[in-house]
Amino acid sequence: MTPTPAVGKDTMHQDPPPLTTTTVTVAYAGGDERRGPVTMGQANMIRCILRDDPTHINIHDVWPVPEGTTSAAVTDALRALAVRHEGLRTTFPHPPGAAPVDQVVSSEGTFTVTVLDHAELPGDPAEYAESVARAARAGRFALEREFPVRITLLTVAGQPAYVALAFSHAVADGSAMAILREEFAELLAGKELPGLTSLPPVDLAAVEASPAGLRKSEASLRYWERILRTGPQEMFAEPRGRRPGTDEEARQLTLRSHRGGRALAGAARRTGHPEATVLMAAWCALVAHRAGQDSCVTAVPSANRFHARVARSVTTTSQDALLHLDVRVETFDALVTRTWGAVLNAYRHSQFDSVRLWEMIGRVTAERGSHFGRDVVFNDVSALPAPLLGTDAQERDDAEQELTWGPPQALPTRLLAFTYRTAPQLHISLWAAPSVFTPEEAEGFLSGLVLLLEAAAAGDVPMEALAEVTGVRPAERGPDWLRVDGCWVSPDAVCETLGRAVGGLPVWVAEEPGPSGTAEGAPGTGSHLTAYIARGATALTPEEAHRALTALIPAAGSGVLAPHRYVLVENPPTEPDRSDAWRRLNTIDEGTGRSRQV
């Protein structure tokens, strides 16, 4: 009999204060002084650093210190890493109000280590160290001058126990932190580090600016534009949802499951596909099923280190691979096969000029009358050379399956997952937006993922049986929601938002057949929305109505997509809640409002 999962276990606690706090300044010298353009990944992260809340964009890690290690050995190892990796000696000079375009590598400098000495660490020392590292993420890094790592050494009666670190995302990502963590442990063990095999950031920028690199960027932009023009703009478009750009606070939910690890291995053996592909297929299948979508659009941030020149580079390569996976297949095995090609295609198109990407996103979403949301993020770091965030310490739990709740954090997405390990336990942390997932639904989602893998290990699973197999139910929208232009849309929400956009003028939004004249597939699939506006004595045009609406969409409720056609009349009909009454009125002006037909 399978043991009952420990559902809802809470890991939050109060931590005792340290006895003393000391700041140690560490000097380093070595390497060449260099200057060059920023990489595409750096430019992408710098844009976020200058715009977003630091607690969202800064990243952190915890490095255990072996018993018997001295504080001097810890600082020596940290100094050696700074000398070894140009990314840690990099700053980004820029005038106020402008984004950096260059990076400067220093040959010498200093950094500080804050030493927190304790009589003893709390009952869960690893979790305490995690909380210290997470707290250090607060506060924006001064890109032009600050050492890009905030370092805290936790000691017990002077004996080092953990190093808690917060990194500027301009110089490191999850893979870089894992590389540094591994090398730190090897230095403390007295091992000699091998020579560097991947490019430092300045050289990587030169490769990206080469003709081949520029062609790759152009191809990536075309790939993204196809998805933005045709894919769903919100994965979780439903009555209780919020717009993708609206941050929420979500608590971390962690699954540790030996059942899941065995099931994933079994499904991979049976299907003949890598475990990573099977897990991605299961994730996309369950996300699309829960969202009631025909496809899953998910960002895959750790996808762009598959080339040797960046595999072990200590820099940030954080540029999303954007996976758009059509889940309209009969069986899970067919989806796994489709996932393999779709993932490779996404990986190939994960290097791009981020400034041009965001310009394109702005242009396309304005033309389509939408707001693309980075709703779903799946970050599989299980293949990295060293575990992240104390994962090895957490591996101590031998429970067949356990779900534990951790601390909250601001969530700029609707669903974020980190896969830390796939064997011997499946170890996934999930942050699910409370607006679309109750705590019970979040727990059910991760449990359902394990159930799907177990079923896939035993045999092929019909896609129509996902609810029965996993216990996860699709979103409930009601009959007034329509699928328009590949998106779930609420005409009532569109009508309310458009009315506000045009200053309270009478508005009516109706579903009408698309250009083919027939609605194909599911109800509403081939239909379009037409907005009727009684403009009265105003000089409103379709273009002005469209611009005003698209300006409100990012902060509007879920399910808002601009109509395909705006029809302007003088006065509303006597029966303003009937489409045929609006259609009988004399038209003053009409048009798409869009600068490009989509």
Side-chain angles (χ1 to χ4, degrees):
M1 179 178 294
T2 301
T4 302
V7 176
K9 181 179 175 183
D10 202 314
T11 59
M12 300 182 73
H13 56 270
Q14 296 294 320
D15 301 315
L19 293 176
T20 62
T21 301
T22 309
T23 300
V24 177
T25 300
V26 181
Y28 63 86
D32 297 327
E33 188 170 324
R34 307 180 70 197
R35 186 183 186 113
V38 297
T39 67
M40 292 180 179
Q42 288 172 333
N44 187 44
M45 285 296 98
I46 287 171
R47 177 185 178 277
C48 299
I49 290 168
L50 296 176
R51 179 196 64 190
D52 296 346
D53 186 318
T55 59
H56 296 183
I57 193 63
N58 295 337
I59 54 178
H60 70 282
D61 199 6
V62 174
W63 299 348
V65 179
E67 187 175 353
T69 304
T70 64
S71 295
V74 170
T75 55
D76 285 346
L78 293 170
R79 180 189 292 109
L81 293 177
V83 172
R84 175 175 169 84
H85 295 290
E86 290 186 5
L88 300 182
R89 295 183 276 117
T90 297
T91 53
F92 304 89
H94 63 285
V101 295
D102 291 323
Q103 56 182 312
V104 173
V105 181
S106 64
S107 59
E108 60 182 13
T110 63
F111 59 86
T112 60
V113 178
T114 301
V115 182
L116 304 183
D117 193 37
H118 305 73
E120 61 179 6
L121 294 179
D124 193 333
E127 292 239 357
Y128 168 63
E130 158 82 7
S131 70
V132 173
R134 183 180 296 276
R137 289 167 59 159
R140 205 176 306 275
F141 276 91
L143 295 170
E144 72 280 4
R145 57 179 171 79
E146 186 177 355
F147 188 74
V149 191
R150 296 168 183 159
I151 306 169
T152 304
L153 176 60
L154 306 181
T155 62
V156 179
Q159 176 65 46
Y162 293 93
V163 182
L165 309 101
F167 289 80
S168 166
H169 219 329
V171 302
D173 54 17
S175 298
M177 289 194 303
I179 293 164
L180 291 169
R181 192 174 196 259
E182 179 187 46
E183 292 184 350
F184 176 75
E186 291 179 348
L187 287 169
L188 293 184
K191 298 179 180 179
E192 183 175 346
L193 299 180
L196 297 174
T197 56
S198 293
L199 296 177
V202 172
D203 294 333
L204 179 59
V207 170
E208 293 174 343
S210 68
L214 294 176
R215 286 194 298 271
K216 185 179 182 68
S217 177
E218 290 295 328
S220 296
L221 292 176
R222 290 193 298 270
Y223 168 87
W224 275 69
E225 184 166 354
R226 284 194 300 271
I227 296 175
L228 265 65
R229 288 196 180 277
T230 60
Q233 296 297 283
E234 300 175 78
M235 282 304 297
F236 299 106
E238 54 189 87
R240 60 176 171 166
R242 301 184 189 179
R243 288 303 308 184
T246 307
D247 290 353
E248 298 182 61
E249 190 171 79
R251 289 187 63 187
Q252 179 180 359
L253 176 62
T254 297
L255 167 77
R256 300 181 187 91
S257 174
H258 283 285
R259 285 174 48 192
R262 290 193 299 271
L264 178 58
R269 284 193 302 271
R270 192 187 63 77
T271 61
H273 284 278
E275 289 187 3
T277 303
V278 174
L279 183 59
M280 181 67 76
W283 168 262
C284 289
L286 203 55
V287 168
H289 167 72
R290 165 61 181 79
Q293 300 278 13
D294 289 338
S295 63
C296 177
V297 177
T298 184
V300 190
S302 60
N304 41 12
R305 282 183 177 264
F306 52 89
H307 196 285
R309 65 171 172 251
V310 293
R312 292 189 61 86
S313 181
V314 173
T315 185
T316 184
T317 62
S318 289
Q319 294 187 276
D320 287 343
L322 189 65
L323 175 63
H324 184 203
L325 181 63
D326 189 334
V327 299
R328 291 175 295 182
V329 292
E330 291 187 1
T331 68
F332 182 72
D333 284 10
L335 184 66
V336 173
T337 301
R338 177 176 289 184
T339 302
W340 171 255
V343 167
L344 290 179
N345 201 27
Y347 286 8
R348 284 201 306 268
H349 297 102
S350 60
Q351 178 185 311
F352 43 78
D353 182 328
S354 60
V355 174
R356 290 189 59 203
L357 175 75
W358 284 104
E359 289 173 349
M360 181 269 288
I361 290 175
R363 183 180 69 255
V364 170
T365 54
E367 291 168 356
R368 192 179 183 189
S370 61
H371 177 73
F372 175 73
R374 193 173 179 263
D375 253 9
V376 182
V377 181
F378 185 78
N379 207 350
D380 186 348
V381 296
S382 61
L384 296 183
L388 289 173
L389 307 182
T391 304
D392 50 354
Q394 296 169 344
E395 199 67 43
R396 66 189 183 279
D397 199 325
D398 293 327
E400 270 292 275
Q401 184 155 306
E402 180 182 62
L403 289 166
T404 57
W405 286 98
Q409 72 175 53
L411 186 69
T413 70
R414 299 286 78 98
L415 197 65
L416 166 66
F418 272 80
T419 299
Y420 296 117
R421 295 223 174 159
T422 56
Q425 286 184 331
L426 180 61
H427 179 181
I428 300 176
S429 284
L430 182 78
W431 291 261
S435 65
V436 289
F437 286 86
T438 66
E440 293 76 18
E441 288 172 329
E443 292 175 354
F445 186 89
L446 282 182
S447 298
L449 185 67
V450 173
L451 291 171
L452 175 56
L453 292 172
E454 288 180 326
D460 201 359
V461 180
M463 291 294 286
E464 63 181 15
L466 285 182
E468 178 184 355
V469 169
T470 66
V472 175
R473 304 298 173 189
E476 296 181 2
R477 295 187 175 89
D480 56 322
W481 282 66
L482 308 170
R483 188 170 294 175
V484 175
D485 195 16
C487 305
W488 280 107
V489 179
S490 167
D492 289 344
V494 175
C495 189
E496 187 276 331
T497 307
L498 179 57
R500 286 192 288 116
V502 296
L505 293 175
V507 170
W508 179 255
V509 174
E511 176 192 10
E512 296 184 344
S516 64
T518 59
E520 302 174 358
T525 300
S527 58
H528 287 173
L529 295 182
T530 296
Y532 294 87
I533 306 173
R535 75 177 191 182
T538 70
L540 183 72
T541 66
E543 292 77 15
E544 290 169 343
H546 183 76
R547 284 197 300 270
L549 174 59
T550 54
L552 292 186
I553 285 178
S558 185
V560 179
L561 189 75
H564 287 73
R565 181 166 161 257
Y566 298 85
V567 176
L568 304 183
V569 300
E570 186 173 359
N571 295 308
T574 56
E575 298 176 285
D577 57 350
R578 293 184 55 181
S579 298
D580 57 346
W582 285 88
R583 293 188 185 106
R584 288 196 296 266
L585 299 175
N586 291 329
T587 299
I588 298 173
D589 195 4
E590 65 177 301
T592 67
R594 307 178 185 208
S595 58
R596 170 175 169 175
Q597 188 67 39
V598 295

